Amino acid sequence: MASKSSSSSNKKMAQKTWEMANAVESIQSVNEIYKYDKEQQQEILSTKPWSKDPHYFKNIKISALSLLKMVMHARSGGNLEIMGLMLGKVDGEIMIVMDSFALPVEGTETRVNAQAQAYEYMTAYVESAKLVGRPENVIGWYHSHPGYGCWLSGIDVSTQTLNQQFQEPFVAIVIDPTRTISAGKVNLGAFRTYPKGFSPSGEGPSEYQTIPLNKIEDFGVHCKQYYSLEVNYFKSTLDSQLLGLLWNRYWVNTLSSNNLITNADYTTGQILDLAEKMEQTESQISKSVGFAMNVDIIDKRPEDRLNKITRDSSKMAVELVNGLITQVIKDQLFNKARCGSKLTDESNKQ
């Protein structure tokens, strides 16, 4: 009985920690966030304020329930990309994701494509959702980037641009399940593309993230064709029961896995990627020093690359240390506690 109580307590504590790590906000006025005003949504669709301002949508709110469903789906794909859709609504300049569902699509390690079967499934799901009192429309799509960060590739940009032309309002969400496991918090980004011919005034993504060497070109070519939205998460008492049931599955998978083993290939890949970046930077520094001896110019780009390599290696070291700490805590909680209880039982028998 005590072990069941302890297990339940551990699950609740882990869920609370996960919610705190991802800054999940508890919504008090549940009726407002879940109320769907069909006339208001139709009015927004008819006026299309986003057509006049490419940066119209600036924030996105995602329910903790849909977030957990997306993360579990992304983790189930392993090293293969997965894809799904989200149901929601808009409230002024804020996009609100109420629910999400997986699509039956075939993915590879670098791309995922929706076929006719997926579109049929999507239509049937949305119709079924309306029958059970979920009037929200499809507000976006999500897919995973296992191990290489949250950003839009060239194919993603084309897909999102097409969706924004015919299914507005629409948002693209990218989840990295591998980095989510390493960091202990959800690695997620939300994006919208600019209309064709629009030139943003900024210098591209403001938030720094590690991009593998074999993806840098794809990232650099397209990074100014879209912008990111500020992401916030929320939950309410209406979500609690479903969230608890989903958390039981997520908690078991998390407990039974070892981050260091699960992400061993990812960690090895990161080390190899850092080594290759260092070799390239060393070669560029040698060339720039030789050039600077003849011309009074110093190229600071290799120095910037070294700073990025330092940041990447520090981040990787922190993630590995966190993984070790997690395993030590699990060992103390379960193995040592079990041994202690056995010793107590034996002493009582004597």
Side-chain angles (χ1 to χ4, degrees), residues 19-32:
E19 290 173 2
M20 289 176 65
N22 293 289
V24 177
E25 179 189 0
S26 293
I27 302 294
Q28 300 299 327
S29 55
V30 293
N31 292 332
E32 290 301 317

mmCIF file with all atom_site columns, all heavy atoms in Angstrom, residues 19-32:
data_model
loop_
_atom_site.group_PDB
_atom_site.id
_atom_site.type_symbol
_atom_site.label_atom_id
_atom_site.label_alt_id
_atom_site.label_comp_id
_atom_site.label_asym_id
_atom_site.label_entity_id
_atom_site.label_seq_id
_atom_site.pdbx_PDB_ins_code
_atom_site.Cartn_x
_atom_site.Cartn_y
_atom_site.Cartn_z
_atom_site.occupancy
_atom_site.B_iso_or_equiv
_atom_site.pdbx_formal_charge
_atom_site.auth_seq_id
_atom_site.auth_comp_id
_atom_site.auth_asym_id
_atom_site.auth_atom_id
_atom_site.pdbx_PDB_model_num
ATOM 1   N N   . GLU A 1 19 ? 5.567   20.301 -15.878 1.00 0.00 ? 19 GLU A N   1
ATOM 2   C CA  . GLU A 1 19 ? 4.773   21.508 -16.126 1.00 0.00 ? 19 GLU A CA  1
ATOM 3   C C   . GLU A 1 19 ? 5.554   22.774 -15.776 1.00 0.00 ? 19 GLU A C   1
ATOM 4   O O   . GLU A 1 19 ? 5.488   23.772 -16.490 1.00 0.00 ? 19 GLU A O   1
ATOM 5   C CB  . GLU A 1 19 ? 3.471   21.449 -15.320 1.00 0.00 ? 19 GLU A CB  1
ATOM 6   C CG  . GLU A 1 19 ? 2.491   20.403 -15.827 1.00 0.00 ? 19 GLU A CG  1
ATOM 7   C CD  . GLU A 1 19 ? 1.277   20.235 -14.923 1.00 0.00 ? 19 GLU A CD  1
ATOM 8   O OE1 . GLU A 1 19 ? 1.199   20.969 -13.910 1.00 0.00 ? 19 GLU A OE1 1
ATOM 9   O OE2 . GLU A 1 19 ? 0.422   19.387 -15.220 1.00 0.00 ? 19 GLU A OE2 1
ATOM 10  N N   . MET A 1 20 ? 6.338   22.716 -14.695 1.00 0.00 ? 20 MET A N   1
ATOM 11  C CA  . MET A 1 20 ? 7.142   23.873 -14.308 1.00 0.00 ? 20 MET A CA  1
ATOM 12  C C   . MET A 1 20 ? 8.273   24.111 -15.296 1.00 0.00 ? 20 MET A C   1
ATOM 13  O O   . MET A 1 20 ? 8.572   25.254 -15.663 1.00 0.00 ? 20 MET A O   1
ATOM 14  C CB  . MET A 1 20 ? 7.717   23.665 -12.900 1.00 0.00 ? 20 MET A CB  1
ATOM 15  C CG  . MET A 1 20 ? 6.676   23.749 -11.787 1.00 0.00 ? 20 MET A CG  1
ATOM 16  S SD  . MET A 1 20 ? 7.378   23.389 -10.157 1.00 0.00 ? 20 MET A SD  1
ATOM 17  C CE  . MET A 1 20 ? 8.519   24.757 -9.976  1.00 0.00 ? 20 MET A CE  1
ATOM 18  N N   . ALA A 1 21 ? 8.918   23.034 -15.759 1.00 0.00 ? 21 ALA A N   1
ATOM 19  C CA  . ALA A 1 21 ? 10.023  23.155 -16.715 1.00 0.00 ? 21 ALA A CA  1
ATOM 20  C C   . ALA A 1 21 ? 9.564   23.780 -18.025 1.00 0.00 ? 21 ALA A C   1
ATOM 21  O O   . ALA A 1 21 ? 10.309  24.511 -18.681 1.00 0.00 ? 21 ALA A O   1
ATOM 22  C CB  . ALA A 1 21 ? 10.649  21.792 -16.977 1.00 0.00 ? 21 ALA A CB  1
ATOM 23  N N   . ASN A 1 22 ? 8.305   23.498 -18.408 1.00 0.00 ? 22 ASN A N   1
ATOM 24  C CA  . ASN A 1 22 ? 7.765   24.035 -19.660 1.00 0.00 ? 22 ASN A CA  1
ATOM 25  C C   . ASN A 1 22 ? 6.866   25.246 -19.442 1.00 0.00 ? 22 ASN A C   1
ATOM 26  O O   . ASN A 1 22 ? 6.186   25.688 -20.379 1.00 0.00 ? 22 ASN A O   1
ATOM 27  C CB  . ASN A 1 22 ? 6.992   22.935 -20.399 1.00 0.00 ? 22 ASN A CB  1
ATOM 28  C CG  . ASN A 1 22 ? 7.897   21.831 -20.892 1.00 0.00 ? 22 ASN A CG  1
ATOM 29  O OD1 . ASN A 1 22 ? 8.661   22.021 -21.824 1.00 0.00 ? 22 ASN A OD1 1
ATOM 30  N ND2 . ASN A 1 22 ? 7.837   20.672 -20.249 1.00 0.00 ? 22 ASN A ND2 1
ATOM 31  N N   . ALA A 1 23 ? 6.874   25.782 -18.208 1.00 0.00 ? 23 ALA A N   1
ATOM 32  C CA  . ALA A 1 23 ? 6.122   26.997 -17.871 1.00 0.00 ? 23 ALA A CA  1
ATOM 33  C C   . ALA A 1 23 ? 4.649   26.894 -18.277 1.00 0.00 ? 23 ALA A C   1
ATOM 34  O O   . ALA A 1 23 ? 4.094   27.785 -18.925 1.00 0.00 ? 23 ALA A O   1
ATOM 35  C CB  . ALA A 1 23 ? 6.766   28.221 -18.519 1.00 0.00 ? 23 ALA A CB  1
ATOM 36  N N   . VAL A 1 24 ? 4.002   25.784 -17.894 1.00 0.00 ? 24 VAL A N   1
ATOM 37  C CA  . VAL A 1 24 ? 2.583   25.588 -18.191 1.00 0.00 ? 24 VAL A CA  1
ATOM 38  C C   . VAL A 1 24 ? 1.751   26.434 -17.236 1.00 0.00 ? 24 VAL A C   1
ATOM 39  O O   . VAL A 1 24 ? 1.849   26.293 -16.014 1.00 0.00 ? 24 VAL A O   1
ATOM 40  C CB  . VAL A 1 24 ? 2.181   24.104 -18.060 1.00 0.00 ? 24 VAL A CB  1
ATOM 41  C CG1 . VAL A 1 24 ? 0.684   23.934 -18.305 1.00 0.00 ? 24 VAL A CG1 1
ATOM 42  C CG2 . VAL A 1 24 ? 2.980   23.248 -19.026 1.00 0.00 ? 24 VAL A CG2 1
ATOM 43  N N   . GLU A 1 25 ? 0.941   27.306 -17.796 1.00 0.00 ? 25 GLU A N   1
ATOM 44  C CA  . GLU A 1 25 ? 0.132   28.227 -16.989 1.00 0.00 ? 25 GLU A CA  1
ATOM 45  C C   . GLU A 1 25 ? -1.239  27.616 -16.700 1.00 0.00 ? 25 GLU A C   1
ATOM 46  O O   . GLU A 1 25 ? -1.888  27.058 -17.592 1.00 0.00 ? 25 GLU A O   1
ATOM 47  C CB  . GLU A 1 25 ? -0.047  29.547 -17.746 1.00 0.00 ? 25 GLU A CB  1
ATOM 48  C CG  . GLU A 1 25 ? -0.899  30.572 -17.014 1.00 0.00 ? 25 GLU A CG  1
ATOM 49  C CD  . GLU A 1 25 ? -1.228  31.776 -17.875 1.00 0.00 ? 25 GLU A CD  1
ATOM 50  O OE1 . GLU A 1 25 ? -0.793  31.805 -19.044 1.00 0.00 ? 25 GLU A OE1 1
ATOM 51  O OE2 . GLU A 1 25 ? -1.930  32.669 -17.387 1.00 0.00 ? 25 GLU A OE2 1
ATOM 52  N N   . SER A 1 26 ? -1.670  27.706 -15.462 1.00 0.00 ? 26 SER A N   1
ATOM 53  C CA  . SER A 1 26 ? -3.005  27.221 -15.088 1.00 0.00 ? 26 SER A CA  1
ATOM 54  C C   . SER A 1 26 ? -4.034  28.312 -15.365 1.00 0.00 ? 26 SER A C   1
ATOM 55  O O   . SER A 1 26 ? -3.927  29.425 -14.858 1.00 0.00 ? 26 SER A O   1
ATOM 56  C CB  . SER A 1 26 ? -3.049  26.844 -13.603 1.00 0.00 ? 26 SER A CB  1
ATOM 57  O OG  . SER A 1 26 ? -2.232  25.734 -13.360 1.00 0.00 ? 26 SER A OG  1
ATOM 58  N N   . ILE A 1 27 ? -5.009  27.993 -16.203 1.00 0.00 ? 27 ILE A N   1
ATOM 59  C CA  . ILE A 1 27 ? -6.057  28.943 -16.568 1.00 0.00 ? 27 ILE A CA  1
ATOM 60  C C   . ILE A 1 27 ? -7.219  28.817 -15.587 1.00 0.00 ? 27 ILE A C   1
ATOM 61  O O   . ILE A 1 27 ? -7.757  27.726 -15.377 1.00 0.00 ? 27 ILE A O   1
ATOM 62  C CB  . ILE A 1 27 ? -6.555  28.687 -18.003 1.00 0.00 ? 27 ILE A CB  1
ATOM 63  C CG1 . ILE A 1 27 ? -5.401  28.785 -19.002 1.00 0.00 ? 27 ILE A CG1 1
ATOM 64  C CG2 . ILE A 1 27 ? -7.661  29.652 -18.362 1.00 0.00 ? 27 ILE A CG2 1
ATOM 65  C CD1 . ILE A 1 27 ? -4.799  30.154 -19.124 1.00 0.00 ? 27 ILE A CD1 1
ATOM 66  N N   . GLN A 1 28 ? -7.597  29.925 -14.981 1.00 0.00 ? 28 GLN A N   1
ATOM 67  C CA  . GLN A 1 28 ? -8.703  29.913 -14.017 1.00 0.00 ? 28 GLN A CA  1
ATOM 68  C C   . GLN A 1 28 ? -10.055 30.007 -14.719 1.00 0.00 ? 28 GLN A C   1
ATOM 69  O O   . GLN A 1 28 ? -10.971 29.248 -14.455 1.00 0.00 ? 28 GLN A O   1
ATOM 70  C CB  . GLN A 1 28 ? -8.545  31.071 -13.014 1.00 0.00 ? 28 GLN A CB  1
ATOM 71  C CG  . GLN A 1 28 ? -7.245  31.009 -12.222 1.00 0.00 ? 28 GLN A CG  1
ATOM 72  C CD  . GLN A 1 28 ? -7.127  29.757 -11.383 1.00 0.00 ? 28 GLN A CD  1
ATOM 73  O OE1 . GLN A 1 28 ? -8.110  29.237 -10.881 1.00 0.00 ? 28 GLN A OE1 1
ATOM 74  N NE2 . GLN A 1 28 ? -5.896  29.263 -11.218 1.00 0.00 ? 28 GLN A NE2 1
ATOM 75  N N   . SER A 1 29 ? -10.166 30.970 -15.646 1.00 0.00 ? 29 SER A N   1
ATOM 76  C CA  . SER A 1 29 ? -11.445 31.174 -16.357 1.00 0.00 ? 29 SER A CA  1
ATOM 77  C C   . SER A 1 29 ? -11.540 30.181 -17.508 1.00 0.00 ? 29 SER A C   1
ATOM 78  O O   . SER A 1 29 ? -11.361 30.518 -18.669 1.00 0.00 ? 29 SER A O   1
ATOM 79  C CB  . SER A 1 29 ? -11.538 32.609 -16.876 1.00 0.00 ? 29 SER A CB  1
ATOM 80  O OG  . SER A 1 29 ? -10.418 32.923 -17.672 1.00 0.00 ? 29 SER A OG  1
ATOM 81  N N   . VAL A 1 30 ? -11.803 28.925 -17.165 1.00 0.00 ? 30 VAL A N   1
ATOM 82  C CA  . VAL A 1 30 ? -11.802 27.859 -18.168 1.00 0.00 ? 30 VAL A CA  1
ATOM 83  C C   . VAL A 1 30 ? -12.873 28.058 -19.235 1.00 0.00 ? 30 VAL A C   1
ATOM 84  O O   . VAL A 1 30 ? -12.695 27.671 -20.386 1.00 0.00 ? 30 VAL A O   1
ATOM 85  C CB  . VAL A 1 30 ? -11.985 26.476 -17.486 1.00 0.00 ? 30 VAL A CB  1
ATOM 86  C CG1 . VAL A 1 30 ? -10.784 26.151 -16.646 1.00 0.00 ? 30 VAL A CG1 1
ATOM 87  C CG2 . VAL A 1 30 ? -13.247 26.451 -16.640 1.00 0.00 ? 30 VAL A CG2 1
ATOM 88  N N   . ASN A 1 31 ? -13.974 28.650 -18.878 1.00 0.00 ? 31 ASN A N   1
ATOM 89  C CA  . ASN A 1 31 ? -15.062 28.806 -19.839 1.00 0.00 ? 31 ASN A CA  1
ATOM 90  C C   . ASN A 1 31 ? -14.665 29.702 -21.011 1.00 0.00 ? 31 ASN A C   1
ATOM 91  O O   . ASN A 1 31 ? -15.096 29.489 -22.138 1.00 0.00 ? 31 ASN A O   1
ATOM 92  C CB  . ASN A 1 31 ? -16.304 29.374 -19.142 1.00 0.00 ? 31 ASN A CB  1
ATOM 93  C CG  . ASN A 1 31 ? -16.905 28.377 -18.167 1.00 0.00 ? 31 ASN A CG  1
ATOM 94  O OD1 . ASN A 1 31 ? -16.776 27.179 -18.355 1.00 0.00 ? 31 ASN A OD1 1
ATOM 95  N ND2 . ASN A 1 31 ? -17.532 28.878 -17.114 1.00 0.00 ? 31 ASN A ND2 1
ATOM 96  N N   . GLU A 1 32 ? -13.861 30.724 -20.731 1.00 0.00 ? 32 GLU A N   1
ATOM 97  C CA  . GLU A 1 32 ? -13.475 31.668 -21.785 1.00 0.00 ? 32 GLU A CA  1
ATOM 98  C C   . GLU A 1 32 ? -12.528 31.030 -22.796 1.00 0.00 ? 32 GLU A C   1
ATOM 99  O O   . GLU A 1 32 ? -12.698 31.178 -23.994 1.00 0.00 ? 32 GLU A O   1
ATOM 100 C CB  . GLU A 1 32 ? -12.813 32.905 -21.160 1.00 0.00 ? 32 GLU A CB  1
ATOM 101 C CG  . GLU A 1 32 ? -13.762 33.799 -20.387 1.00 0.00 ? 32 GLU A CG  1
ATOM 102 C CD  . GLU A 1 32 ? -14.905 34.316 -21.254 1.00 0.00 ? 32 GLU A CD  1
ATOM 103 O OE1 . GLU A 1 32 ? -14.639 34.705 -22.407 1.00 0.00 ? 32 GLU A OE1 1
ATOM 104 O OE2 . GLU A 1 32 ? -16.057 34.303 -20.794 1.00 0.00 ? 32 GLU A OE2 1
#
